[in-house]
Amino acid sequence: MTIKRRDFINLSGIALTAGIITGFNSLDENQKKETVTSDTILKPMTDDVVPITVAEREERIKKAQRLLTENNMQALVLDAGTGLKYFTGINWWPSERTMLAIIPAKGDIKYICPAFEEDRLREQIIIGKKVYAWQEDESPYQLIVSAFKDSGITTGNIAIEEQTRFFIADGIRKEASHLNYVSGDPVTVACRKIKSPAEIKLMQKANDITLAAIKHSVSLLKEGMTQNDLSAMIMSAQKQLGGNPEFALCLFGKSSAFPHGSKHPEVLKKGDIVLMDCGCLVEGYNSDITRTIVFGAEPSKRQQEIWSLEKQALIAGFAAAKIGEPCGAVDAAARKVLTDAGLGPEYKLPGLPHRTGHGIGLDGHEWGNMLKGNKELLEPGMCFSIEPTISIVGEFGVRLEDCVYMTEDGPKWFSQPSKSINEPFG
């Protein structure tokens, strides 16, 4: 499911400034000299990145074709988006001009695109050859039906991938009303929710970059900074480190109680909670990490207690993630820690107002939510976040978020959780 997260964040300004964080003043002089400064040039961490191979994409298409047959579907329609990228490697902006791919249950993949874009599309095609090009005054839907016929499809079910926009699905349906149109989820979700070792390596790199960017930027915190200042610093650091910056939601003080922020601007003061929820892309694969610290002062007793409770909930969720157990068990375990401490219950505040985690991959939010009542069973290769926010409106919020991938032996962290409120990076 495509959800562009935190698009409302206004990332203005790229200036880097020097500053202090909790515990910085306790460092000895040698440690202080090693601390990064505002003019530090960050080196890319992506020299060893290996893109997804053509062979792996071909195997994905073969799996999709097998699932199409098993589900009595004749073809899968893929609009421009991450589904198209997953199977073909093609990056294409979804404009009002129909460009899509068709994976038939039998035969080669086919493409539909505007005629003036054909050469550009062919530059990206690594699997399949057949392109049906339509001129500006022609209907792409007639060509789509022609592509179906060329694949031997005149009756049966056509699977529509969930990212396909309505005007495209509706145009196909009107042009070929003799066909039956069904959800492509049994094919696409079954393929994409289980990550390969190559995908996990790319996500690991993305998480490594994001964690390094947060660590770098935290060392530059300065009293008087705005939330947008810190967001811009983290975005810039992720880019310098080789990631494609996706988001950096930074919240100070009372605004940290709102999981996705508040419209009221905040300026950093000593003793403020600083919550940073950030992510980048490596070869299209997402990271998602949240760290919460206290700036420029020792944490208050209240801040320490809530932070420690959040950490307990995070670890409880991790412990509940077992092969063959339902996704909902992760949410139940994390939430129980909070309700036992008198928060909630359920989604009531103060407490945890949202699910404990979400699937992640080419999209920041994917299938496999750690959600109450979700009976979907955990399998090796599933990747998801664990982020049991504690929200106390009028005071502050604490979120610790780390993503995991499931193995035969249980969950493995993409990023190691914070040790303590004074040791956010282990």
Side-chain angles (χ1 to χ4, degrees):
M1 60 183 79
T2 302
I3 301 178
K4 274 291 184 182
R5 301 177 46 202
R6 288 83 167 176
D7 283 348
F8 56 87
I9 301 172
N10 175 21
L11 297 176
S12 61
I14 304 297
L16 299 182
T17 54
I20 57 174
I21 62 171
T22 299
F24 180 75
N25 287 331
S26 66
L27 297 177
D28 63 36
E29 289 305 315
N30 289 331
Q31 288 175 308
K32 286 183 181 181
K33 290 177 182 178
E34 294 173 0
T35 302
V36 291
T37 59
S38 59
D39 59 353
T40 298
I41 302 300
L42 301 176
K43 296 181 179 179
M45 300 169 60
T46 50
D47 289 346
D48 58 345
V49 165
V50 178
I52 300 297
T53 64
V54 175
E56 179 163 332
R57 295 194 195 280
E58 289 174 336
E59 287 301 315
R60 293 173 180 179
I61 291 174
K62 288 180 181 178
K63 181 177 180 179
Q65 290 179 316
R66 174 174 59 79
L67 290 169
L68 283 167
T69 300
E70 290 176 0
N71 287 277
N72 192 29
M73 299 171 178
Q74 307 308 308
L76 172 66
V77 174
L78 297 166
D79 193 1
T82 54
L84 179 71
K85 179 178 177 64
Y86 177 83
F87 288 105
T88 71
I90 293 173
N91 284 301
W92 201 270
W93 181 68
S95 78
E96 76 283 3
R97 296 182 173 97
T98 297
M99 181 277 166
L100 53 80
I102 298 170
I103 299 177
K106 295 180 180 179
D108 295 332
I109 189 170
K110 297 173 174 62
Y111 302 92
I112 314 294
C113 85
F116 77 94
E117 296 275 36
E118 182 177 356
D119 290 342
R120 183 168 75 92
L121 174 61
R122 288 190 180 278
E123 286 182 341
Q124 293 198 47
I125 291 176
I126 55 176
I127 301 172
K129 297 179 180 179
K130 184 64 175 178
V131 175
Y132 298 76
W134 57 279
Q135 296 293 350
E136 292 279 71
D137 60 343
E138 296 177 335
S139 168
Y141 309 113
Q142 293 176 354
L143 289 180
I144 292 169
V145 175
S146 295
F148 289 154
K149 290 179 179 178
D150 290 347
S151 295
I153 301 169
T154 56
T155 61
N157 297 316
I158 302 299
I160 305 295
E161 197 259 351
E162 68 171 322
Q163 295 181 3
T164 304
R165 291 161 293 167
F166 176 79
F167 78 88
I168 292 177
D170 191 51
I172 299 171
R173 178 187 60 78
K174 288 177 179 176
E175 190 66 39
S177 59
H178 61 286
L179 298 173
N180 187 45
Y181 300 93
V182 298
S183 170
D185 284 4
V187 178
T188 56
V189 176
C191 287
R192 289 183 58 184
K193 77 175 182 180
I194 305 300
K195 272 60 178 183
S196 69
E199 290 178 286
I200 289 172
K201 285 182 180 179
L202 293 172
M203 293 174 69
Q204 181 65 67
K205 181 62 69 173
N207 279 273
D208 291 346
I209 287 171
T210 294
L211 191 62
I214 297 172
K215 184 176 181 179
H216 167 82
S217 300
V218 161
S219 71
L220 305 176
L221 284 173
K222 183 178 180 181
E223 193 166 13
M225 290 177 63
T226 68
Q227 295 171 143
N228 284 344
D229 290 336
L230 179 54
S231 294
M233 288 166 59
I234 295 173
M235 293 288 276
S236 177
Q238 288 186 120
K239 184 175 182 179
Q240 290 182 60
L241 291 165
N244 181 6
E246 186 73 354
F247 64 95
L249 173 66
C250 297
L251 306 172
F252 300 159
K254 291 181 179 180
S255 69
S256 62
F258 297 87
H260 287 165
S262 166
K263 70 176 183 179
H264 299 294
E266 295 284 347
V267 175
L268 188 59
K269 305 180 297 296
K270 289 184 178 181
D272 274 351
I273 284 281
V274 177
L275 187 155
M276 299 155 287
D277 186 351
C278 313
C280 73
L281 305 178
V282 171
E283 293 291 322
Y285 285 87
N286 281 266
S287 59
D288 198 354
I289 299 174
T290 306
R291 291 290 178 264
T292 302
I293 66 168
V294 174
F295 167 72
E298 284 301 311
S300 68
K301 181 180 179 181
R302 175 73 160 165
Q303 290 170 334
Q304 180 68 69
E305 288 175 348
I306 296 301
W307 193 100
S308 297
L309 190 61
E310 168 73 1
K311 174 68 180 290
Q312 292 174 43
L314 177 81
I315 298 304
F318 180 83
K322 298 178 181 178
I323 297 296
E325 290 294 314
C327 292
V330 176
D331 180 85
R335 201 172 295 275
K336 185 177 186 301
V337 171
L338 305 184
T339 56
D340 286 352
L343 297 175
E346 303 295 336
Y347 303 110
K348 293 181 179 179
L349 299 181
L352 170 53
H354 54 68
R355 65 195 174 201
T356 294
H358 57 81
I360 189 169
L362 280 173
D363 287 309
H365 286 191
E366 292 192 351
W367 313 271
N369 290 320
M370 304 304 111
L371 172 67
K372 178 184 177 181
N374 187 355
K375 297 180 180 180
E376 181 180 2
L377 301 182
L378 291 166
E379 303 176 59
M382 291 177 69
C383 300
F384 54 91
S385 70
I386 303 178
E387 46 178 313
T389 299
I390 298 177
S391 177
I392 308 172
V393 176
E395 291 188 56
F396 60 85
V398 175
R399 179 160 65 252
L400 300 176
E401 176 185 14
D402 294 283
C403 291
V404 303
Y405 58 96
M406 296 301 295
T407 73
E408 294 286 356
D409 299 322
K412 303 292 183 183
W413 294 111
F414 277 113
S415 52
Q416 287 299 314
S418 300
K419 286 186 176 181
S420 70
I421 195 169
N422 289 319
E423 299 176 282
F425 307 107

